[in-house]
Amino acid sequence: MKRNHPLDQIRNIGIMAHIDAGKTTTTERILYFTGLTHKIGEVHEGSAVMDWMTQEQERGITITSAATTCHWHDFKINIIDTPGHVDFTVEVERSLRILDGAIFLLDAKEGVEAQTEAVWHQAEHYNVPRLVFINKMDVIGADFNDSLESIRTRLKGNPIALQIPMGCEKDFEGVISLIDMKAYYNTGDNGEIITKSEIPEPYIQEAKDNRLKLLETLSEYDDEMMMLYLESELISEEIIVKTLRRLTLENILTPVLCGSAYKNKGVQLLLDSIINFLPSPMDRPVISGHQKDGEPSSRDADDQAPFSALIFKVMSDPYVGRLSYMRVYSGKISVGNALLNTTKGKKERLSKILQMHANNRTEIEEALTGDIVAVIGLKFSTTGDTLTDMNHPIIFEAIEFPEPVISRAVEPKTPGDFEKMEDALKRLTEEDPTLTTYNHPETGQKLISGMGELHLEVILDRLEREFNVKVNTGKPQVTYKETLQSSITVDYELNNQAGNQVLYAYVKLMIKPNARGQGHTFECTFKERNFPKAFIDATYFGIKQSLQSGFLGGYEVVDLHINILDLHMKDDVSTDIAFMTSASRCITKALKEGQSVLLEPIFNVDIHVSDSYIGDVIDDINKRNGNILDMKPSHTGNLVKASVPLSKLFGYATTLRSITHGHGYYSMMFSHYDETK
C-alpha cells in the first residue's frame, strides 16, 4: 500500500484539560473545519460526535477517550479527545503514553485547575510536547493574562504567547497573531471564513509590547535569534516559526493561543499551530524497549523497520466484539498477518484493521508507522501489551495505572444472572485497568473497585444497559491500606508433621516502615554460602503473598522495608512450601505485634465559593476532618483548597449545593494515603 502522507506530515495529538474547559467542543469544531463533519455537534445537546456513549450524552461529560482522524493542509491529524473528570484519568494516562503531542485547554475564566495540573504532570512524565489554547475568551470573567500567569505559577511551565485577544467577554472579537502582526476574525454562519487585516488602533501598542516579549524570549534560547535581535535585523516569520518549533519539540517553551471554540473563533489558527509546532512521529525520540532477556532494544519510526505496536486500549463492541486500539511505532501490518504478543509470549492474528471515528469505523487493509488504529481478532492482548512481527521481538515499557480508591458490593438481582454478571465484569475490567473486582475474604461479597463514585456509577449503568445485567449494590466503601508505624524483628520456626512428612523452616525478618508512597523494598543480609536459592526465593514469595491481605481488615499492606536476617533448614525435611509458610507467618506476626495502622485515601479538593458562604464551607470541611491548605480570590469569589479523607466526601456535592444555595462547585483529585483519624 502506498503511503498517502509522509511521516513528517502526520500528527498524533490529544486534547486534554479540566472538566468543562471545552475539550469536546473544540474537537467538534476541528472536525467541522477540517471537513470531516458537515454539522457541528454540541455537548449540551447530546449531539457531539466524540461523546458517543449514552452515559456521556446524558451527563454532558467525556467518559472514554475517543479517536478520530482528520486532514488539514495536506497533513493527517490523528486526534484523541480525553476526559477531564478525575475518575477517568486512566483514559488520559494511556493516551499520553502513545501520543506525540498534546493540546491543553484552559477555561479563560478559571485558568489552570486541579485536573489540568494532574494531566500536565502526566504529559511531563512522558515528555510530550504541548500547546495551550486559552478557551472561552467570550465568557464573563475571562482573563487571558491571568490564565497565562497561572501556567507559570501552578504548572511551573514556561509559556510563550503567540497571540493576544481583541477584547474579552461579550466584546471578544478575534485574535492578533504576534508572529505576523495581523488581526484575525472569524465570519460566516459558523466562523468558517477567516479574515486577516491590520491590527486595530486600540491594540497596536499592546501587540508591539507582546511581540517584543516573544522575540526576547526566543532570543534567550536560540543563538541565531539572539544575533538578529541584538543587531535589530528584521526577523522573518519563517525564522520565528522554525525557532518556536524546535523549542516546543524540546519542551523548553509552551506556545499559548486563545479563542472561543463555542463561538467558532481561533480554531483554524489552532490547527495551523498543530502543524507548525507539534511533532511528527519522526520528531520523537526513538521508541525504546528491551528483549526477553532484559537487553535494551529500540525501533526506528520507519515503514521498512520490523513491525512493532503498543496496545493502549481494549473495548467491547456490541457489533464486532473485542476492539484493540494500537499505536504503530514501526513497520507495517496487513489483515491476516500473524503477530507475536511479546509481553505474554502468545501468537495473535489480525482479522480486521479499522480506522476509527469515535464509535464509527472504516475497514482498511494495512496500518503503517505512525498510525493509530483499532484491530479485531486479538485473543490474548490487553492494555499495555506489545505486538511485533514473529521474527523481531521487542517489549515496550508497560503503562502504569493508579490504584482504585473506592469499592461497592454488587450482586445480581436474580441468581440466574450470576455467571452473566461475572462475564460482564470480566469484559469491563479488560477495558478499564483502574476497575478491579474481587471477593471479600470475610463476607464473600463481590466487590468492584474504581477511581470514584462517578466511575462506579457509570460501570453499574453499563452493566444494566450494555450487558442487560441488573444488580443490587451496597453503599460505597473506601479502599483502605495497612502499614506498620515502627520497626520490628520477628521470627517463626515451622516444625510440623503433615501426614508422614515433617516440614521444617526457620525465617527471621526485620521489618520497618518506608516513606509513604515508596512501596515495598526488600533486602537479604543472610549470606550463608551454599544455602539453596530455591528456599530464598520461596521466602520472598511467601512474604509478598502475605502482604496482599493485612491484619486489620484484609486490606493490602504497603510501604514496608523487609530484610531477611536469617534462614535455617534441615536436610530432607525443608521444602519450598515450608519456607513460604514460615515467611507468611512472620509477616502476620509482625502485623499483629507491631504498631499496625490503617491508611485511607486523601483527596485534594478545590472549592469555588462566594464571600457570603465561605465561612460555612470552611466549617463543613473542618467537620469532615479536612485541612484547609490555601484560600485566595478567584473569578467566582474565592478558591478554597483543602485536603479531605475520601470517606468524608460521599455526598459532598449535595451538601455544598445546600450550603451555597446552588452557587458553589468543587473538583477533587486523589493526593495520597495517610493514617485514619
Side-chain angles (χ1 to χ4, degrees):
M1 179 191 227
K2 185 179 178 183
R3 176 178 280 283
N4 293 325
H5 296 85
L7 265 178
D8 62 357
Q9 291 183 6
I10 293 177
R11 301 289 183 269
N12 291 317
I13 64 162
I15 300 182
M16 299 163 186
H18 189 87
I19 191 169
D20 287 337
K23 295 177 303 302
T24 301
T25 299
T26 302
T27 306
E28 293 295 321
R29 270 58 183 179
I30 288 175
L31 301 185
Y32 177 76
F33 290 130
T34 58
L36 193 60
T37 58
H38 302 290
K39 181 178 181 294
I40 298 176
E42 300 293 1
V43 174
H44 61 276
E45 295 175 356
S47 61
V49 172
M50 303 301 275
D51 282 352
W52 57 270
M53 290 177 68
T54 304
Q55 293 84 356
E56 293 176 317
Q57 294 167 355
E58 289 178 349
R59 289 172 169 83
I61 62 170
T62 302
I63 291 171
T64 184
S65 55
T68 191
T69 300
C70 58
H71 299 84
W72 184 251
H73 298 331
D74 298 325
F75 283 74
K76 177 181 177 181
I77 306 175
N78 296 315
I79 301 174
I80 296 182
D81 176 32
T82 64
H85 196 286
V86 64
D87 283 16
F88 308 105
T89 188
V90 60
E91 297 289 341
V92 182
E93 185 74 34
R94 58 184 170 191
S95 298
L96 280 167
R97 174 66 176 80
I98 56 93
L99 291 170
D100 297 324
I103 300 169
F104 277 73
L105 263 64
L106 301 187
D107 182 326
K109 181 176 73 172
E110 305 295 345
V112 171
E113 298 175 85
Q115 186 65 4
T116 320
E117 292 186 59
V119 179
W120 186 273
H121 295 316
Q122 287 173 304
E124 285 184 328
H125 173 73
Y126 291 112
N127 200 32
V128 174
R130 61 216 84 139
L131 304 175
V132 173
F133 182 70
I134 297 177
N135 191 27
K136 299 189 177 183
M137 284 303 307
D138 60 306
V139 303
I140 295 173
D143 192 315
F144 177 78
N145 290 324
D146 275 4
S147 296
L148 191 67
E149 185 60 25
S150 70
I151 300 171
R152 295 189 184 95
T153 55
R154 293 193 63 174
L155 301 178
K156 309 304 180 190
N158 196 5
I160 181 167
L162 307 190
Q163 300 170 350
I164 58 170
M166 289 185 286
C168 66
E169 300 180 343
K170 63 182 178 61
D171 297 322
F172 177 61
E173 301 177 78
V175 301
I176 294 169
S177 168
L178 302 176
I179 295 177
D180 64 3
M181 291 297 280
K182 298 292 183 183
Y184 287 83
Y185 303 87
N186 287 83
T187 57
D189 293 340
N190 292 307
E192 63 274 11
I193 300 170
I194 304 174
T195 304
K196 181 166 72 169
S197 67
E198 297 302 316
I199 299 172
E201 179 63 33
Y203 300 107
I204 289 178
Q205 190 57 50
E206 182 185 0
K208 286 181 177 178
D209 292 343
N210 279 277
R211 180 179 167 85
L212 189 61
K213 288 180 186 176
L214 170 68
L215 298 179
E216 287 176 346
T217 303
L218 293 178
S219 298
E220 289 178 27
Y221 299 102
D222 187 89
D223 291 340
E224 182 184 3
M225 285 288 295
M226 175 65 80
M227 293 300 295
L228 292 172
Y229 180 73
L230 292 176
E231 294 171 4
S232 300
E233 294 285 341
L234 182 64
I235 302 176
S236 68
E237 295 174 35
E238 290 75 17
I239 291 177
I240 294 174
V241 170
K242 175 187 169 186
T243 306
L244 270 168
R245 179 173 179 79
R246 179 182 70 80
L247 296 173
T248 305
L249 298 188
E250 294 176 7
N251 277 312
I252 294 172
L253 296 176
T254 303
V256 179
L257 305 98
C258 61
S260 169
Y262 183 65
K263 296 292 187 181
N264 307 315
K265 296 177 190 275
V267 178
Q268 293 99 324
L269 297 180
L270 173 61
L271 280 163
D272 289 340
S273 293
I274 291 170
I275 302 307
N276 288 335
F277 306 121
L278 289 183
S280 74
M282 297 177 68
D283 296 314
R284 298 290 286 147
V286 172
I287 181 72
S288 59
H290 60 86
Q291 297 296 320
K292 192 174 181 181
D293 60 4
E295 191 69 23
S297 187
S298 63
R299 287 285 188 272
D300 292 323
D302 187 343
D303 290 339
Q304 304 309 313
F307 173 78
S308 65
L310 185 77
I311 303 288
F312 68 95
K313 181 172 179 172
V314 175
M315 285 195 68
S316 296
D317 188 285
Y319 302 105
V320 298
R322 201 163 182 260
L323 276 176
S324 302
Y325 287 74
M326 68 163 67
R327 159 72 190 265
V328 180
Y329 281 104
S330 64
K332 53 190 174 183
I333 194 70
S334 300
V335 172
N337 283 169
L339 299 173
L340 176 65
N341 181 320
T342 52
T343 307
K344 293 188 169 68
K346 298 280 189 179
K347 293 182 180 178
E348 297 272 30
R349 189 175 295 275
L350 299 182
S351 59
K352 289 183 181 180
I353 303 175
L354 307 173
Q355 184 75 66
M356 299 301 296
H357 177 47
N359 65 326
N360 297 313
R361 59 193 69 85
T362 303
E363 285 193 38
I364 56 178
E365 292 299 314
E366 192 174 45
L368 307 172
T369 299
D371 284 349
I372 295 175
V373 295
V375 298
I376 300 172
L378 304 184
K379 297 179 180 179
F380 308 105
S381 300
T382 54
T383 300
D385 287 357
T386 304
L387 292 177
T388 69
D389 66 25
M390 299 299 295
N391 300 317
H392 301 87
I394 187 174
I395 303 174
F396 295 140
E397 177 190 355
I399 307 172
E400 294 184 5
F401 299 109
E403 294 185 14
V405 295
I406 186 172
S407 303
R408 291 185 79 163
V410 294
E411 63 180 19
K413 288 191 175 179
T414 59
D417 278 346
F418 181 79
E419 287 189 12
K420 198 173 176 182
M421 182 188 79
E422 289 283 315
D423 180 63
L425 287 174
K426 180 183 176 184
R427 291 166 67 181
L428 288 170
T429 53
E430 286 178 351
E431 286 186 21
D432 185 351
T434 59
L435 175 70
T436 61
T437 67
Y438 63 100
N439 295 317
H440 194 281
E442 294 179 7
T443 65
Q445 286 180 304
K446 171 68 73 175
L447 298 177
I448 60 172
S449 300
M451 300 306 297
E453 288 184 272
L454 180 59
H455 185 198
L456 295 186
E457 282 177 20
V458 170
I459 293 298
L460 294 171
D461 192 44
R462 291 186 63 191
L463 273 175
E464 183 168 342
R465 294 198 197 200
E466 292 178 32
F467 299 95
N468 197 28
V469 178
K470 295 184 178 180
V471 296
N472 296 317
T473 63
K475 292 182 179 179
Q477 301 171 348
V478 172
T479 301
Y480 292 92
K481 307 283 187 187
E482 184 177 341
T483 194
L484 286 177
Q485 279 185 308
S486 58
S487 300
I488 187 171
T489 299
V490 290
D491 63 352
Y492 190 88
E493 184 177 41
L494 180 71
N495 194 4
N496 289 348
Q497 185 162 346
N500 296 324
Q501 185 181 11
V502 176
L503 295 177
Y504 180 85
Y506 174 81
V507 176
K508 184 177 183 181
L509 305 176
M510 190 278 288
I511 306 171
K512 63 181 182 180
N514 272 336
R516 196 78 73 235
Q518 184 179 347
H520 295 308
T521 52
F522 299 93
E523 184 181 5
C524 182
T525 54
F526 169 69
K527 299 296 182 185
E528 184 177 319
R529 188 179 285 183
N530 300 324
F531 196 86
K533 184 177 181 297
F535 291 168
I536 298 176
D537 291 343
T539 302
Y540 276 121
F541 185 80
I543 292 169
K544 292 174 181 178
Q545 284 290 100
S546 60
L547 292 173
Q548 294 177 10
S549 180
F551 169 66
L552 294 178
Y555 299 108
E556 180 188 2
V557 183
V558 297
D559 301 334
L560 296 180
H561 178 80
I562 301 166
N563 184 4
I564 301 174
L565 297 178
D566 199 8
L567 301 172
H568 292 167
M569 58 171 279
K570 290 182 179 179
D571 292 339
D572 301 326
V573 295
S574 290
T575 64
D576 295 358
I577 298 283
F579 277 95
M580 285 169 51
T581 304
S582 188
S584 178
R585 291 182 182 177
C586 270
I587 296 295
T588 302
K589 187 177 179 181
L591 294 173
K592 284 183 178 179
E593 297 178 0
Q595 293 179 301
S596 189
V597 294
L598 279 183
L599 304 175
E600 63 181 338
I602 307 296
F603 274 63
N604 285 337
V605 186
D606 284 5
I607 309 157
H608 296 264
V609 59
S610 65
D611 291 336
S612 308
Y613 309 110
I614 191 168
D616 294 333
V617 166
I618 290 172
D619 286 345
D620 182 68
I621 290 295
N622 290 330
K623 289 175 185 176
R624 296 172 186 269
N625 294 335
N627 293 315
I628 303 299
L629 304 177
D630 191 19
M631 286 188 294
K632 58 184 179 181
S634 75
H635 295 296
T636 53
N638 296 279
L639 170 62
V640 178
K641 299 176 76 68
S643 65
V644 187
L646 176 61
S647 60
K648 305 295 184 182
L649 285 170
F650 295 143
Y652 184 61
T654 302
T655 302
L656 184 63
R657 278 197 298 270
S658 175
I659 291 174
T660 64
H661 299 279
H663 295 293
Y665 63 97
Y666 78 103
S667 62
M668 66 185 213
M669 58 188 252
F670 172 73
S671 174
H672 63 284
Y673 272 86
D674 208 346
E675 290 180 31
T676 54
K677 296 180 180 179

